[in-house]
Amino acid sequence: MMGIELSLGDWLLACAMGSIVGLDAVSWPQVMWSRPIVAATLGGLLFDAPAGGFLVGTWLELVLSRHPPFGGARHAETGPAAFTAGAAYGMAQTGAVIGVPAAVVCGWAIGWAGAYSVTVLRVATARLWASSGRARGGAAALARRHRLAMLMDGARGGLLVASLLVPSVLFVRLLSTQPPGSFGLAWSPALAAIGLAGMGGVAARALGTRRRDWPGLAAGGLLGALLAGVLA
């Protein structure tokens, strides 16, 4: 019940796509396919669940968008995390509603793991080229170092997907397949509450003291609740 079927080809393709969406945020080509709503949809599409991946990505857009991806502050990395979350939902193949917030939790955790991996990569890159001897060679040497740094960044994103995709699938499937009356029933409202609280916190922190924007937030929350009721 808890086993998963993942061919080597699909796993390698997922790792390659994780590398690509990981590169997009900083290195190349910066066309915003690292945004959660895009990356998670791609992950779901890879495993025949684009709609589920889209829902996961929409939720992660709100959860992981607290910090803009620039400046020196550490922020959750969105690309590989959202891609893995969307792929995990697609691979779980449960169709259960609880699978969406379970995948969101995986994406949130992987996003912060990715943030620390970015820090490690930046320190390693700086040390790699810190010596004066490696700073010589002109424009050609600089271009080679830049390509190497991009390769390292892509490998980092691929390794995140390679190491965390299967655990994420198992987590989503575990929570999605709990029989009635088991502890699994408590996970659905708990995860939903955590996710909604996180989104509310993100929105409140982003709006700050700009009170004129709060009516728009309230209207969006109301429309979202009505849409959820209709879809349910």
Side-chain angles (χ1 to χ4, degrees):
M1 188 67 178
M2 289 301 298
I4 60 173
E5 294 182 1
L6 178 63
S7 68
L8 178 60
D10 287 342
W11 183 77
L12 290 175
L13 180 58
C15 294
M17 293 183 68
S19 297
I20 292 173
V21 297
L23 277 171
D24 177 70
V26 175
S27 299
W28 173 88
Q30 295 187 337
V31 293
M32 298 189 73
W33 59 42
S34 59
R35 294 309 308 166
I37 197 169
V38 179
T41 303
L42 290 174
L45 179 64
L46 181 62
F47 296 102
D48 300 321
F54 176 81
L55 290 175
V56 172
T58 303
W59 202 329
L60 283 173
E61 278 285 355
L62 297 172
V63 173
L64 294 180
S65 298
R66 166 63 186 93
H67 299 287
F70 52 80
R74 181 181 287 118
H75 54 84
E77 187 193 27
T78 59
F83 174 82
T84 303
Y89 180 85
M91 285 187 62
Q93 297 180 348
T94 63
V97 176
I98 185 59
V100 174
V104 170
V105 169
C106 292
W108 176 86
I110 297 171
W112 282 107
Y116 284 94
S117 72
V118 169
T119 300
V120 172
L121 177 65
R122 288 174 178 172
V123 172
T125 303
R127 291 179 176 176
L128 183 62
W129 305 113
S131 67
S132 58
R134 290 193 178 98
R136 300 170 184 170
L142 179 61
R144 286 195 298 270
R145 292 195 293 271
H146 181 63
R147 288 192 292 269
L148 177 59
M150 290 175 59
L151 180 62
M152 293 169 62
D153 192 22
R156 181 196 55 78
L159 285 173
L160 279 174
V161 176
S163 58
L164 297 175
L165 176 58
V166 172
S168 298
V169 176
L170 294 176
F171 179 77
V172 173
R173 185 169 291 181
L174 171 66
L175 297 188
S176 301
T177 57
Q178 295 303 312
S182 71
F183 75 94
L185 292 179
W187 279 98
S188 180
L191 290 178
I194 292 172
L196 291 173
M199 288 188 290
V202 169
R205 190 72 178 270
L207 292 176
T209 58
R210 293 176 293 177
R211 296 181 179 178
R212 63 182 181 180
D213 294 331
W214 282 92
L217 175 64
L222 178 61
L223 290 175
L226 291 175
L227 179 61
V230 171
L231 293 177

